């Protein structure tokens, strides 16, 4: 059984805690990583936690993990709307994928923010629960892994 969950964060999330805290909160990406590890480790799962501002790097990471993972948690951030190479890479994975958004993308000011192109290929979506969406996605993947789904 695969015991690693890949957690990917896209552009500008390296500035989490500083960038628009009224939307994204005050927690940092290091806080998010700690939450994910705290959710995974008691169940015997490892977290491979990564962030990038570069689309090609995100594609490379997805391709590298396309086989043998328990799952992928991805906050595509700005890649959500037009990163077709990321979408195509996600189509190749053999594990469940949970898309996470810190804000509720369906309530944002610009209509285009509510249209994720990733939705068509992911297993599920967590949106609008703040950074707590990340460990919830991790918990879901652990649950799926345990039930053989």
């Amino acid at each position: 059984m695969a015991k690693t969950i890949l957690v990917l964060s896209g552009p500008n999330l390296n500035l989490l805690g500083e960038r628009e805290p009224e939307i994204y909160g005050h927690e940092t990406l290091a806080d998010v990583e700690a939450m994910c590890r705290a959710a995974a480790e008691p169940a015997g799962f490892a977290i491979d936690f990564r962030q990038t501002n570069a689309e090609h790097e995100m594609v490379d990471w997805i391709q590298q993990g396309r086989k043998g993972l328990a799952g992928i948690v991805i906050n595509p951030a700005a890649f959500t709307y037009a990163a077709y190479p990321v979408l195509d890479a996600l189509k190749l994975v053999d594990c469940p994928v949970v898309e996470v958004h810190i804000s509720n993308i369906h309530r944002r000011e610009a209509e285009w923010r509510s249209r994720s192109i990733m939705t068509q290929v992911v297993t599920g979506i967590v949106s609008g629960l703040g950074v707590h969406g990340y460990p919830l996605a991790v918990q879901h993947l652990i649950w799926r892994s345990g039930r053989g789904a």
Side-chain angles (χ1 to χ4, degrees), residues 38-139:
E41 289 172 357
F45 285 75
I47 295 292
D48 184 352
F49 196 91
R50 302 177 187 201
Q51 185 278 330
T52 186
N53 293 320
E55 185 178 30
H56 72 278
E57 192 167 40
M58 181 74 77
V59 169
D60 286 345
W61 292 340
I62 294 167
Q63 288 180 357
Q64 289 164 10
R66 75 185 182 276
K67 296 183 181 201
L69 291 172
I72 297 174
V73 173
I74 183 169
N75 182 341
F79 296 152
T80 300
Y81 313 108
Y84 292 99
V86 173
L87 173 67
D88 287 345
L90 287 172
K91 289 177 181 177
L92 301 172
V93 302
D94 69 356
C95 63
V97 178
V98 179
E99 181 179 356
V100 172
H101 295 282
I102 296 168
S103 68
N104 182 344
I105 62 172
H106 303 287
R107 294 186 68 180
R108 295 293 298 273
E109 71 289 352
E111 187 179 336
W112 61 267
R113 286 192 181 271
S114 68
R115 295 190 195 124
S116 168
I117 64 170
M118 306 303 161
T119 302
Q120 61 188 294
V121 298
V122 299
T123 307
I125 301 167
V126 178
S127 178
L129 301 181
V131 295
H132 301 281
Y134 280 89
L136 289 171
V138 168
Q139 289 173 342

